[in-house]
Amino acid sequence: MEQKIQALITATKEKFGLTNYYLHTSSFRRSLDIFEDTTYILTTEWLPSHAKKVEEDDLNPPGTAIIDINVHTGQLKSILFVDNKSFAEKNIIVSTSTNDIIQWIEEETGLTYNEQFQLVEEGNGRLFFKECFMGIPVSTSGSIEIKYSQDGHLTLFSAIGQFPPKDKFKQDVPALSLEKVADLSKKQIKLIEFPLEKQKQILPFYGLEEIYITNDLTRTIPYEFFVNDKIQLAIDKIIYWDSPTNQSFEKIFLTFANDVTIEQVISKERHPNLLPITNPEKEQCISTVSDFLRQEYPNDTGKWILKTLYRQDNYIYATLKYNEHSDFIFKRKLLVIIDAENLQAINSMDSQFMLNTFEAYTTVKKRTITENQAFDQLKNHLELTPIYVYDKRLAQYILCGKLDCAFSVNATNGELVKLDDL
C-alpha cells in the first residue's frame, strides 16, 4: 500500500504537469456516503518551485496546487490552484470549450453527461453541473464545478456528492401530475410566522410544505436534508425529572482528532461514525441528557424532546427540540455533546441565542383570510418536479415528484408574495 501511495503521488505530479512544483504535505481523510460506505482520500499540497517553504500557520502562496484523490480507485476528487493561478507546465484541460470540458470530466470521473450530470450554469470562466439520473434531478444532488483562468488553465475542479452507480436507481417513467396530487397539495398548506427585518414584525403567511411523493402515489417522503456522515438513532422521548440539581455544568472545549493513519487506509477501516450506539449507551445518553437539563434548565421538565442520537468523531450528539406548538419558522433546538468514552455531557449549543434576535419584533396574529382561500391563490403556482430520492427501505433511489411552491400568501391581507422576497 505504501508503494501504491507513492505511485499515486508520482502519477499526480506527472499527470497534472507539476514539474515546476514540489510536494509540501500529504495526508489522509475519510468520508461516509449515504450507502454507509467509507472512502479514503489522499490530499497532497504542491508548492511552486520558486516559493519559499511555508510555515504551519502561513497561507499557501499563489499557484499552490491542492489535489484530492480516492486512494483505492485513483480517481480525482478535486484540484485547486490557489488564487486562480497555475504554474503547471501543461494545460490539464484540452481547451475551454464546453464540449471539451465535458469530455474531460467524463474521462476523469467515469460519469456520462446527461445521464449522470448536467450543466446548469456557465459563464466567466466557470461551469457548474448537478447530478442527475437519465436527465432527472437527484436529491440530495451532487455537483461538479470547473474554473479556468484567462489563459485557459484549469484552476479548480471539484466533484462533491454521491454520484452513485446506475444500479442504485430504480428506473421509472414520471407518472404524476398536479391533478393527481390535488388532494395532497391542499393538505400541505401550512401557516408559518415569518420575521420581516425591515418592518421589525413577525407576520403569518400561508405556504406549501415541500414534500416528495412516490411515483406510484402510495406514500410520501418528507422533504429534508439527507446527512451523509451521520447514522441517526431516533429516540423521540420527552424528558421529565422530579427535581433540579445543585451541581453546576462546566463546558469542555471539543477536540477533533481526524488524522487518518496509513494502517487505517490499508485495512480500509470502516468510518467510526458507523459504530452502532448500543442499548446500554442509548440509555446512559438519555440519563446524561436528563442530568444536563436538570443542571442547565432546572425549570424545563417536560419541555424538551430528545429527538436523535448520532456519533461524530469522538462524540455522541443528542439533538433536542423544544416541546411546544409554534408556527414560527425558526424552532428552538438544543444540541448536547456527549463524550463517547465516559458518556458524560461536555458541551451544548442552544438556538435561543438566534431567537433572541427577534425579541424586539412585533408579532401580528390577526388573519383576514382562511387556509382554503390561501390555497385558491397558491394552486396555480404549484410545481411538481420529477426527482430521484434515496429510499433507505429499498437501499435504492426511487422516482418521486417534488411538490413545491415559490409563493406564499400574507394571512393578514391576502397578498401573494414570493418566498425569496421574504
Side-chain angles (χ1 to χ4, degrees), residues 155-409:
T155 58
L156 171 71
F157 164 76
S158 174
I160 299 172
Q162 312 293 331
F163 293 99
K166 296 177 184 179
D167 62 6
K168 291 290 186 181
F169 289 85
K170 187 178 180 182
Q171 190 168 353
D172 206 348
V173 178
L176 297 180
S177 66
L178 285 172
E179 290 74 23
K180 289 183 179 180
V181 302
D183 290 342
L184 183 58
S185 300
K186 196 167 186 178
K187 293 177 182 178
Q188 291 302 113
I189 301 298
K190 307 294 180 186
L191 184 73
I192 301 172
E193 294 178 348
F194 203 93
L196 304 182
E197 186 176 3
K198 287 184 179 179
Q199 296 91 330
K200 299 296 180 186
Q201 288 184 320
I202 298 174
L203 296 181
F205 289 85
Y206 287 106
L208 184 103
E209 186 175 32
E210 307 99 319
I211 198 166
Y212 297 124
I213 307 166
T214 58
N215 198 44
D216 59 6
L217 260 178
T218 58
R219 60 192 175 95
T220 61
I221 301 174
Y223 179 79
E224 60 185 16
F225 180 77
F226 291 93
V227 183
N228 298 332
D229 61 348
K230 301 177 182 66
I231 310 300
Q232 302 204 49
L233 176 65
I235 305 296
D236 288 318
K237 180 181 178 67
I238 301 175
I239 305 298
Y240 296 96
W241 57 89
D242 294 328
S243 61
T245 177
N246 294 324
Q247 294 180 344
S248 60
F249 177 77
E250 293 185 13
K251 286 188 176 183
I252 299 174
F253 287 109
L254 306 185
T255 57
F256 300 100
N258 293 322
D259 294 338
V260 176
T261 66
I262 185 68
E263 290 77 20
Q264 290 169 318
V265 176
I266 292 171
S267 65
K268 295 186 181 181
E269 180 183 279
R270 296 182 82 216
H271 200 292
N273 290 358
L274 288 170
L275 187 65
I277 296 174
T278 65
N279 279 332
E281 286 175 324
K282 181 186 79 170
E283 294 304 321
Q284 180 57 55
C285 285
I286 293 173
S287 177
T288 294
V289 168
S290 177
D291 289 343
F292 168 82
L293 292 173
R294 290 172 63 210
Q295 291 173 311
E296 292 294 285
Y297 304 85
N299 300 318
D300 281 3
T301 182
K303 294 182 180 180
W304 289 99
I305 304 173
L306 175 57
K307 296 294 294 180
T308 66
L309 297 171
Y310 64 86
R311 288 189 189 274
Q312 187 153 336
D313 302 313
N314 318 329
Y315 307 104
I316 294 176
Y317 288 74
T319 64
L320 294 94
K321 183 177 79 169
Y322 204 63
N323 187 21
E324 66 171 357
H325 172 75
S326 172
D327 293 322
F328 192 49
I329 189 169
F330 302 117
K331 311 296 184 185
R332 189 177 176 191
K333 298 177 181 179
L334 177 65
L335 187 68
V336 179
I337 303 165
I338 299 168
D339 187 301
E341 290 293 327
N342 59 29
L343 298 181
Q344 296 302 305
I346 60 170
N347 213 313
S348 67
M349 295 174 61
D350 189 339
S351 67
Q352 184 62 51
F353 76 93
M354 184 269 288
L355 297 176
N356 290 340
T357 306
F358 308 113
E359 284 186 346
Y361 285 41
T362 302
T363 300
V364 179
K365 293 284 188 181
K366 185 178 179 181
R367 288 176 267 168
T368 62
I369 64 168
T370 66
E371 188 175 292
N372 287 336
Q373 290 172 323
F375 178 72
D376 287 339
Q377 287 186 261
L378 292 173
K379 63 184 178 183
N380 292 329
H381 300 280
L382 300 182
E383 298 175 357
L384 186 66
T385 309
I387 191 166
Y388 277 95
V389 178
Y390 186 64
D391 186 339
K392 281 195 172 184
R393 297 193 306 182
L394 299 177
Q396 270 190 316
Y397 284 86
I398 62 171
L399 185 60
C400 294
K402 178 186 175 184
L403 183 63
D404 199 1
C405 184
F407 290 85
S408 64
V409 176

Side-chain angles (χ1 to χ4, degrees), residues 1-56:
M1 175 58 78
E2 291 184 13
Q3 289 179 338
K4 181 179 179 180
I5 299 302
Q6 187 55 53
L8 271 178
I9 292 173
T10 301
T12 297
K13 184 169 186 176
E14 293 175 357
K15 179 177 180 177
F16 300 114
L18 303 179
T19 303
N20 301 322
Y21 285 78
Y22 65 93
L23 182 64
H24 175 51
T25 64
S26 64
S27 60
F28 300 104
R29 61 180 174 84
R30 57 189 166 193
S31 61
L32 185 63
D33 67 19
I34 203 167
F35 308 111
E36 300 184 10
D37 293 328
T38 305
T39 299
Y40 281 89
I41 303 296
L42 170 66
T43 298
T44 54
E45 289 190 10
W46 303 82
L47 298 186
S49 300
H50 62 265
K52 65 179 182 179
K53 186 176 180 180
V54 177
E55 299 301 326
E56 186 175 345

